[in-house]
Amino acid sequence: MMDGEFFSIQDYIIPEWAHHLQNIPKHFVKLSNLNTPIHRWTLPDLPDDICVYIKRDDLTGAELSGNKVRPLQILFAEALQQGAKHVVTGGGPQSGHCRAVSLICRSLGLKPHIVIEGVYKREGLGTLANTLLYRMAGSKIYLAPADSYESFTRQVRKMKQYICDKYNENCYCIPVGGAAVSGLFAFISAFDELMSQGLQERFDDIVLTIATGGTALGLAIANYLTGSKLRVHAVTISLSKEELYANQDKLLVDIGLDSVKSSDILDIIEGYVGDGYGTATHAGLEFITKISSTTGILLDPYYTGKGAMGMVNELRNNGGRFKGNRILFIHTGGIFGLFNGEMDRVLDKDNSVTNDITEWTDEAVSPVTSI
C-alpha cells in the first residue's frame, strides 16, 4: 500500500504474500497519483483473437509521469531519513529518471546532482524534452564520457563521495535508473495494485519495456510469489538479455530469493534496441505515429515505443511465447521524449496523416476535403 498525503512520509506496508522477503523498506514519501487506470487498447495490425489492454502508469503525475516515480517514493524516503541534503543519480541525456529525480529533489528541498553519460561538451546537452526539465530544476550537471554500463554506474556512485567532500553534507545516491533493492518493492506493490484491478482473472500476459530492469523484475517476483498465474515479458531497449539477467539475479539474492533465477520468471525479448539506447529508427517513429493517430495513446521513441513495437511484432510473428491472448501492456511513461525534435523526421512527410494541413484564407470557400 502506497497512499497518503503528498510529500508526507508514510509507513510502507508490504503485501501479505511478500512478508518473508528481506530488505523490505520501512517508509515511502507520497509523490504519485495511484491507482492508475486500465482500459482496452485497440491496436492496429494484430490478429483478431488478441485482446490488448493498457495500464496507464504514464498517468502517475504530470511532470513526474511514468513508472520511475514508484520506486523514487521509497528511495527519497530513505534519503530524507538519512538526513541527505543532496541527491545524485545518472542517466542518458534524455533520461526520464533524471528528470523525475531532479524535480522531486526541489519539491523536497534537496539539491539534485545529475551525471549525464555520452555528452562531452556543454553545447551538446541542449535544452529540449527531459533535458529541459532537469535543467529547469537547477540541477548540478556533470558530463561523463560514454562507457560500459558497469563503468558508468561506478562513476555515479563515486560522485556521491565527491559531493560529500565538497559540501561537507550528506549525499544520497540513487542508482542509474533507480535499480535499487528497495525500489523493487515499489513494483511488488504495483502488482498488488494490479491484483486489486482483476489482473489474474482478466489477463494471461504482462508486457512492458525494460532498461535497467527494476520494474520488470519487481512485477516478475510478485507474479512468482502469487503462483505464476501470468507470464511476464520485457522488451529490452538497452542491455542484452545476459546482462539484465545477471544484474537481476544479484537483486534476487539481496531480497532472499537465492534459489530463484530471473530467467525462470521473466521473459526478456531482444531485437528492438534499434541503433542503440536513446536512438530512434525511422520505422519506430512511423510506428508510434500510427499508434497515436489511431488509438490516441502517446508513446515515446526510446522506451515505450520500442516496447509496444516489440509486443506487436511478437504477437504477430511469435505468438507461442505468450501464455494466452489476453495481454496487458504497462505504459511506463516517457511522453517528454516526444519533444526533442526527433518527430520532425516523419511528421512533415507528404500524404502523412500528421501533415493534413490546409491553408484557409477565404471564409467564403470551404477548405474541407474528403478524407
Side-chain angles (χ1 to χ4, degrees):
M1 181 180 298
M2 299 185 71
D3 55 10
E5 295 184 7
F6 265 78
F7 307 131
S8 63
I9 295 180
Q10 307 285 328
D11 291 335
Y12 174 74
I13 302 174
I14 189 77
E16 184 66 33
W17 39 264
H19 269 184
H20 63 288
L21 298 179
Q22 299 174 9
N23 292 311
I24 297 173
K26 296 186 180 344
H27 300 95
F28 72 98
V29 57
K30 171 71 173 177
L31 300 168
S32 62
N33 297 308
L34 303 176
N35 298 347
T36 55
I38 295 173
H39 62 76
R40 182 72 182 269
W41 194 18
T42 307
L43 290 166
D45 304 324
L46 280 179
D48 292 340
D49 63 335
I50 300 295
C51 182
V52 177
Y53 279 70
I54 184 169
K55 169 73 166 171
R56 300 294 302 276
D57 254 25
D58 56 320
L59 302 180
T60 51
E63 72 280 3
L64 300 181
S65 69
N67 64 314
K68 294 298 185 183
V69 71
R70 288 183 183 265
L72 291 177
Q73 293 186 130
I74 292 174
L75 299 177
F76 270 95
E78 292 181 357
L80 292 172
Q81 293 183 317
Q82 292 177 17
K85 301 297 183 183
H86 306 259
V87 171
V88 63
T89 194
Q94 280 299 326
S95 169
H97 166 72
C98 291
R99 176 253 307 160
V101 167
S102 298
L103 294 168
I104 292 170
C105 277
R106 290 310 189 188
S107 295
L108 298 176
L110 306 174
K111 171 70 176 180
H113 299 257
I114 304 298
V115 184
I116 296 298
E117 181 185 28
V119 178
Y120 297 88
K121 297 290 185 180
R122 179 191 306 264
E123 299 76 25
L125 186 59
T127 58
L128 298 176
N130 284 300
T131 305
L132 170 68
L133 297 179
Y134 64 71
R135 291 188 69 174
M136 286 188 69
S139 301
K140 178 67 175 173
I141 300 169
Y142 310 88
L143 304 180
D147 209 332
S148 67
Y149 177 75
E150 293 77 11
S151 175
F152 182 61
T153 56
R154 185 180 64 251
Q155 284 181 289
V156 174
R157 291 194 300 270
K158 192 170 185 178
M159 182 62 71
K160 172 186 174 180
Q161 190 57 53
Y162 288 148
I163 294 167
C164 290
D165 292 344
K166 172 65 176 179
Y167 294 95
N168 197 29
E169 293 176 332
N170 191 12
C171 178
Y172 182 85
C173 180
I174 296 178
V176 175
V181 173
S182 54
L184 285 177
F185 289 91
F187 298 108
I188 291 173
S189 290
F191 193 91
D192 197 47
E193 175 185 319
L194 285 165
M195 289 177 64
S196 74
Q197 296 173 307
L199 174 71
Q200 295 176 322
E201 296 77 27
R202 299 169 62 189
F203 304 108
D204 304 305
D205 298 81
I206 294 173
V207 183
L208 69 158
T209 308
I210 183 172
T212 53
T215 304
L217 182 60
L219 294 175
I221 290 169
N223 183 51
Y224 167 76
L225 293 178
T226 55
S228 298
K229 296 181 180 179
L230 297 93
R231 191 170 296 164
V232 182
H233 314 267
V235 180
T236 179
I237 49 87
S238 179
L239 302 176
S240 69
K241 179 187 297 187
E242 291 75 21
E243 289 174 304
L244 286 165
Y245 282 144
N247 293 337
Q248 291 176 333
D249 285 345
K250 295 174 185 176
L251 293 173
L252 285 167
V253 171
D254 289 339
I255 63 171
L257 294 178
D258 309 55
S259 62
V260 180
K261 295 297 182 184
S262 56
S263 57
D264 294 330
I265 63 174
L266 176 64
D267 172 34
I268 295 179
I269 300 173
E270 295 184 301
Y272 300 96
V273 176
D275 295 329
Y277 176 71
T279 65
T281 64
H282 187 84
L285 297 176
E286 292 276 16
F287 173 81
I288 64 174
T289 301
K290 185 173 185 178
I291 297 303
S292 64
S293 63
T294 57
T295 75
I297 296 295
L298 295 172
L299 304 170
D300 78 284
Y302 315 110
Y303 292 86
T304 53
K306 291 181 179 181
M309 187 175 183
M311 176 185 70
V312 169
N313 286 345
E314 294 298 314
L315 285 168
R316 292 176 61 189
N317 304 311
N318 192 17
R321 79 186 309 154
F322 296 91
K323 187 173 184 178
N325 62 359
R326 302 176 302 168
I327 313 299
L328 179 64
F329 181 79
I330 311 293
H331 192 324
T332 51
I335 187 173
F336 297 110
L338 287 168
F339 301 111
N340 71 340
E342 193 96 62
M343 296 305 299
D344 292 350
R345 292 163 54 188
V346 297
L347 292 185
D348 288 330
K349 285 180 58 179
D350 292 341
N351 301 318
S352 170
V353 66
T354 59
N355 199 24
D356 188 1
I357 303 169
T358 302
E359 296 177 1
W360 187 26
T361 59
D362 187 347
E363 182 180 353
V365 178
S366 172
V368 182
T369 58
S370 59
I371 297 176

